[in-house]
Amino acid sequence: MLNLEYMWGLLPVLLSYLPLTLQMATIAMVFALILACLLAVVRVSRVPVLNGLSLLFISFFRGTPLLVQLFLFYYGLPQVISSLIAITGVTAAVLGLTLHFSAYMAESIRAAIVGIDRSQTEAALSIGMTQSQLMRRIILPQATRVATPTLMNYFIDMIKATSLAFTLGVTELMGATQKEAAGSFLYLEAFLLVALIYWVIVEMLSWGQRRLEIYLNKAYQR
Amino acid sequence: MISLQGITKHFGAHTVFKDIDLSLSQGEIIVIIGPSGTGKSTLLRCINFLEKPDAGRLQVGDLKVDTQRASRADILALRRRTAFVFQNYGLFANKTALDNISEGMIVVDKLPKAKAHARAREILERIGLADKADAYPASLSGGQQQRVGIGRAMAANADVILFDEPTSSLDPQWVEEVLGLMKQLAVERQTMIVVTHEMQFAREVADQVVFMDEGGIVEQAPPEELFTAPKDERTRHFLRKILAPTGQAVP
């Protein structure tokens, strides 16, 4: 039988690590979004040289496992870049999550941009808008709407992926659970509880995602 | 004063048109007619560099541009002096009717938002859509969308409005309201160049009708002359083909 009393007692302990988990995911999401937008715009506008570099970047970060990338940043790079010796597990995790997810997100943003019908681009140019005004005011707001469901999925994925930070010695939600479980030997209770916590957070986000989509779609109601 | 000199456009090895000269003065209305695929729309698009011409010079007001040496600033200046109405409206789907009209005034002309909105409301009034200020394009009929498209062009305060087959993608029931608005602009002596298949409109509104065929201007004349006594056999042939089924008089 499950030791429910133990789980109940463990809940506040684990929840106290939740802020760190959410912080890592949120910061990584913000940077990943910015980077992904830049990559997508470079890809769409076919900026010479940068376009090639973006392709290489996207290919590498989609083509290798996140865990490998995290180890590379935390254990590997300090070997050649001495200033990285001081990199903390949290920083390495945020860096890894940012780069990894920006590669995926860049592709969905690019697809969303390409999907905006060409006549709006021409209309914006015809009234004298510059390329960057066109992007900021017409294309990106609409691409955001198209890409939002996918981007929210990546955010959800990212929250779960922060658990990998425990392999870099970070005591976040997963790391804390691991420690508690090792102390009490009640592995099933501890990991079941942490699974429930992740699940509830993801469900709450999905609810937010649906609300957001309704809001974003209000311009498109017939 | 708007003038085109020697405007030429190729798509790959295919020459769309060559050495087009055309000029119109302030308040003049030119309608361009001709068979499909003769480069009428492309010519219009060359005037504001939606297509880059391969040769020739453009003048709009006091702005003179050698199309082969046009800088980015020249192109932006040219676009600010010309406004475009698209066959497929090209409305910004994420913006209300009001914002579609005020967008250029705010972003390009740098008007304060309040002032731009006030002007946009005046324009909505003129195009008969005052009650649709907050409606998004998706909720408007084709005719209403195109009227907003024309409103957006009016807001640009351009020297000339270029109409690229403005009624061609409309359901027949919406054509009249769009043509009606264009006629109203014509009465106000808005300078315009209109590419259209609406012969009745050309007849009523144009100062000059230009017939284009096979990559060139075949003839240009006031509507009564062109429609009743065209000089070129190709013009006559085209008019017969297009007018006869509608029951209008053929030359």
Side-chain angles (χ1 to χ4, degrees), chain B residues 40-114:
Chain B
K40 307 183 298 290
S41 292
T42 308
L43 178 64
L44 216 53
R45 292 162 60 81
C46 279
I47 300 177
N48 72 348
F49 264 80
L50 284 177
E51 300 286 352
K52 185 184 178 301
D54 291 310
R57 310 171 66 79
L58 289 167
Q59 181 180 353
V60 180
D62 55 2
L63 178 75
K64 295 178 187 167
V65 178
D66 176 342
T67 58
Q68 298 315 291
R69 296 211 187 110
S71 66
R72 199 189 284 243
D74 286 335
I75 294 174
L76 283 179
L78 196 61
R79 286 178 176 158
R80 290 183 68 165
R81 284 157 199 252
T82 55
F84 209 97
V85 175
F86 296 85
Q87 185 177 343
N88 298 317
Y89 333 131
L91 294 187
F92 306 133
N94 58 331
K95 298 192 179 291
T96 61
L98 182 82
D99 289 336
N100 263 280
I101 293 172
S102 61
E103 180 71 6
M105 296 191 275
I106 294 169
V107 179
V108 180
D109 303 331
K110 313 279 183 219
L111 283 189
K113 207 170 169 182

Side-chain angles (χ1 to χ4, degrees), chain B residues 85 89 91 101 123-132 141-154 170 174 176-179 181-182:
Chain B
V85 175
Y89 333 131
L91 294 187
I101 293 172
I123 290 171
L124 280 168
E125 196 83 45
R126 285 173 65 196
I127 63 177
L129 292 173
D131 57 329
K132 297 288 184 190
S141 73
Q144 291 170 332
Q145 289 192 54
Q146 189 58 297
R147 276 148 71 198
V148 173
I150 294 173
R152 180 173 61 188
M154 289 158 69
L170 289 174
W174 310 124
E176 267 323 304
E177 66 183 59
V178 170
L179 291 179
L181 174 57
M182 291 168 67

